Each structure stands twice: as structure tokens, then as C-alpha cells.
Amino acid sequence: MKKSSVLTLTKGVVFSYLISGICLLILAFLLFQFELPEGVIIFSYVFSCFLGGMVVSGKQEGKKYLWGLLAGILYYVILVAVSMILNREAFTRIPGVFPALFLCAFGGMLGGMTQAGRK
């Protein structure tokens, strides 16, 4: 992997976390006001990975869906690592840990697919 690819991947994942923060703030307000189910929070992860996958794969040449997939997986790995460091007990009780991996990976890959054919 070239240095520019690693930098682009880093920028895409940081962008994903910024979007996640914004989405989580909005969703927290909506959950408080309208008593929505907590499962709607996973939307912020998928949406953030989708946008991160678009950012990362938009700067790469070829196999854009793989770059998006990599961005989604990296997003998830960082999320899990930070969760385990901050609160190991709470992390073991979360029922959607592995489905979240697939959703983040799929969101990133879908974002990469939207950039296919663009230069």
C-alpha cells in the first residue's frame, strides 16, 4: 500500500467518525423526544461507513468496493478497540457485536460501489 493510500484511508475513517458524532447527537435528541427504539443507533454506524467508503474509494483507482470495505472494517475495529478499553464489561453484553461488523463492512463497501466508474 502506498503512503497516499494509507493517508486517504485515515482521512476517510476520521471523516466517518465525525459523521458518527453528528448522527449520534441528532439521534440522541430524537430518542429523547420521540422514544424511538435504541436499535436505530446502528443507522449512524452504517451511514458513517457508507460516507467514509465513498471518501476513501473516491481517491483510489480500481477495486473501489474493496477500499470501501476496508474503510468499514477499520471503522469497526477502532470502535471495538475503544469500547473494550473504556468498558470491557459492557462490551461483552452487547448482542449485536458481530452483526455490527457486517453492517459496517457492508456500508463501507456500498459507499465504495457508488464511486465505481468515477475517476
Side-chain angles (χ1 to χ4, degrees):
M1 225 183 324
K2 292 189 262 182
K3 186 176 181 179
S4 63
S5 297
V6 172
L7 185 61
T8 301
L9 186 60
T10 304
K11 285 180 183 178
V13 172
V14 168
F15 178 74
S16 292
Y17 276 105
L18 290 173
I19 296 299
S20 281
I22 294 168
C23 285
L24 288 173
L25 284 173
I26 293 169
L27 285 173
F29 174 75
L30 292 175
L31 284 169
F32 179 72
Q33 291 294 321
F34 302 111
E35 297 179 16
L36 299 173
E38 291 180 16
V40 79
I41 292 175
I42 195 73
F43 166 78
S44 68
Y45 299 143
V46 176
F47 183 66
S48 299
C49 290
F50 174 77
L51 292 178
M54 286 179 67
V55 168
V56 170
S57 62
K59 307 263 182 179
Q60 303 298 329
E61 294 182 18
K63 298 186 181 180
K64 293 178 181 274
Y65 66 96
L66 287 177
W67 284 104
L69 179 71
L70 183 61
I73 291 172
L74 184 61
Y75 175 94
Y76 177 80
V77 167
I78 293 170
L79 183 68
V80 168
V82 170
S83 296
M84 287 181 75
I85 290 169
L86 294 179
N87 193 357
R88 181 168 286 202
E89 252 181 62
F91 178 75
T92 59
R93 293 186 305 238
I94 297 173
V97 173
F98 290 112
L101 167 64
F102 296 115
L103 288 172
C104 288
F106 177 73
M109 186 172 66
L110 190 61
M113 287 177 173
T114 62
Q115 296 297 316
R118 296 185 182 182
K119 292 186 179 192

